[in-house]
Amino acid sequence: VSQAGEIAHMVAPSALFMRICVAYIDAMTFQTVSPTAEGRHVAIAGAGVIGLSCAFELVRRGARVTLFDPADISQSTSWAAAGMIAPAYELMLHGGQIDDAMSTLCFASADHWPDWARAVREASGLPVGHDTRPTLAIARTGEEVVRLDALFEQLRAGGKQVFRPVHGLIVGGARSALQLCSDHQVDNRKLLTALKAAIGRGGGKLVRQAVETRDEIEALAGEVDAIVWARGTRETCVSNMVKGQALALHPVAGGPTQVIRYGGGYIVPKADRIVIGATSEADFASAEVSYKATDALLQEARAVCPALSGARVSERWSGLRPLAPSGLPVIGRLGEGKDDFVATAHYRNGILLAPVTAKLIADAVEGHTVSQISKAFQPTRGMAATA
Ligand code: GLY
């Protein structure tokens, strides 16, 4: 049952620019890699942010790309996302270390985001809503204060920009606060639209069809040199999905001008909506959106930011985050000698990790030696459904 003027929908777990010769700077080592994908035909199964980003990068390196996805982009987990680029706050949430493989990957991708956003914007001629204002993280309880303090120490030790705002207690119920300079946002929906347009401009094709095998792909698109499997939740044998529910408000006078994070909650102001999230449900009976759960998110957000009380709900939705048993993204070649690659299981960090994933996949497709850090994310035997 939809309330007046609201859109309520469930995003299913479904899971394309100028031929520019670029010298690509390695996101981790900053070494120049010469593009060698020129003229190769690459099929990509899955047109969420990961599939689209891999396609964009490969088209940029001169490849001919055909994407497959049975569903419209508005049905993707990427559309359901809040668009946060949040290596620091997510580091705290997953309990990692500043120098572990995951954090290194996340910060490298965040650093690459401004260049990536510019490239997508220039290639598509469309805006992506990249907003570099830092994220305000607040602690409301003693436990949250301890966690935020620990994050502060980790970030400082790792040489990351973070500071305690002078007016620390600037939002409702805050006992301490941090400005996280690495953490910012993009309008994920504008990004997806721009990526699609850029890929189309570069000659990439999108086929609205589900594909499971190389034979199916080649029957539809002709012979391919490589396949990238990027269908989100469909790429893992062990179906580890975590449901997330969220809602959006119409913009309101006096509303927040930067991303605010508190516990597992967040407020993400965009030009045309204010996204509020999110639940994190490992055990769920139904993938549907629930008014009870989203009302609870709204109440929590209003306690943090009372100005939101005057804003009307415009939309409620749910999505399923793809998670591998390891908890890490899976990015790389599927078995020695095969021209099959996988990019999936980005869990909470698909938008953040899109640029670095696209780079790692394009490098792997071109046969470049994988960088040291990417070894932590290689597919392991038995974990990928597609072979
Ligand atoms: N990246 C935020 C979320 O998954 O809720």
Side-chain angles (χ1 to χ4, degrees):
V1 183
S2 179
Q3 285 177 3
E6 294 182 21
I7 306 166
H9 58 89
M10 191 277 286
V11 174
S14 74
L16 340 166
F17 166 85
M18 312 310 156
R19 269 165 74 136
I20 302 168
C21 222
V22 292
Y24 198 89
I25 305 300
D26 187 291
M28 267 79 62
T29 63
F30 295 95
Q31 284 166 355
T32 303
V33 175
S34 308
T36 57
E38 187 80 32
R40 298 186 70 195
H41 186 192
V42 183
I44 300 180
V49 72
I50 297 301
L52 290 172
S53 295
C54 291
F56 176 73
E57 184 61 30
L58 283 158
V59 168
R60 196 152 69 135
R61 297 190 191 193
R64 189 159 62 90
V65 172
T66 309
L67 271 152
F68 296 88
D69 200 307
D72 184 75
I73 194 72
S74 63
Q75 297 299 300
S76 68
T77 297
S78 316
W79 193 268
M84 284 182 295
I85 298 164
Y89 199 86
E90 293 288 333
L91 159 69
M92 185 182 81
L93 286 185
H94 74 73
Q97 296 300 314
I98 192 78
D99 57 352
D100 66 23
M102 180 63 177
S103 290
T104 304
L105 193 75
C106 287
F107 279 101
S109 204
D111 287 348
H112 198 57
W113 248 102
D115 288 347
W116 179 256
R118 193 177 316 111
V120 177
R121 214 172 43 234
E122 287 173 5
S124 66
L126 294 172
V128 299
H130 187 227
D131 177 349
T132 56
R133 279 175 283 197
T135 290
L136 181 71
I138 64 161
R140 301 158 300 175
T141 63
E143 199 183 319
E144 287 180 1
V145 170
V146 170
R147 293 183 79 192
L148 217 54
D149 283 348
L151 178 63
F152 182 76
E153 294 308 328
Q154 278 219 62
L155 294 172
R156 289 285 287 263
K160 310 294 180 195
Q161 242 193 314
V162 56
F163 60 91
R164 297 189 187 276
V166 180
H167 306 292
L169 311 183
I170 56 173
V171 283
R175 290 175 55 174
S176 73
L178 294 181
Q179 292 280 13
L180 306 174
C181 302
S182 54
D183 289 18
H184 59 289
Q185 63 146 326
V186 66
D187 187 325
N188 49 304
R189 296 180 180 184
K190 286 185 177 152
L191 170 72
L192 295 166
T193 304
L195 279 167
K196 262 180 82 171
I199 294 159
R201 276 178 139 187
K205 290 191 171 51
L206 174 57
V207 180
R208 188 71 77 77
Q209 185 135 345
V211 285
E212 302 285 339
T213 64
R214 175 176 284 266
D215 286 349
E216 279 175 12
I217 286 173
E218 295 197 327
L220 290 162
E223 205 174 322
V224 294
D225 298 304
I227 302 174
V228 181
W229 300 96
R231 300 169 300 168
T233 51
R234 287 199 49 76
E235 306 304 346
T236 50
C237 281
V238 180
S239 291
N240 251 338
M241 296 183 285
V242 179
K243 182 180 173 183
Q245 301 190 54
L247 70 157
L249 307 178
H250 290 285
V252 64
T257 54
Q258 66 181 132
V259 178
I260 304 175
R261 305 204 59 166
Y262 41 94
Y266 46 78
I267 302 168
V268 189
K270 302 190 188 287
D272 61 352
R273 64 195 189 279
I274 304 169
V275 177
I276 294 171
T279 66
S280 194
E281 304 162 60
D283 292 315
F284 53 92
S286 142
E288 299 290 331
V289 65
S290 115
Y291 278 90
K292 191 171 170 214
T294 48
D295 278 346
L297 293 171
L298 180 55
Q299 208 174 351
E300 196 181 12
R302 282 176 173 160
V304 167
C305 187
L308 296 180
S309 300
R312 282 185 302 117
V313 175
S314 57
E315 191 182 346
R316 301 175 193 249
W317 67 89
S318 69
L320 298 173
R321 305 176 180 95
L323 177 64
S326 65
L328 299 175
V330 180
I331 307 165
R333 186 185 285 270
L334 268 171
E336 277 310 307
K338 297 181 70 172
D339 281 322
D340 285 77
F341 304 83
V342 66
T344 190
H346 291 73
Y347 187 38
R348 301 176 56 91
N349 297 302
I351 306 293
L352 162 64
L353 292 173
V356 79
T357 301
K359 180 218 161 7
L360 291 175
I361 287 293
D363 283 356
V365 167
E366 290 186 324
H368 295 303
T369 309
V370 294
S371 65
Q372 201 58 29
I373 191 71
S374 69
K375 295 206 166 103
F377 309 101
Q378 295 299 305
T380 53
R381 190 180 288 279
M383 84 129 293
T386 308

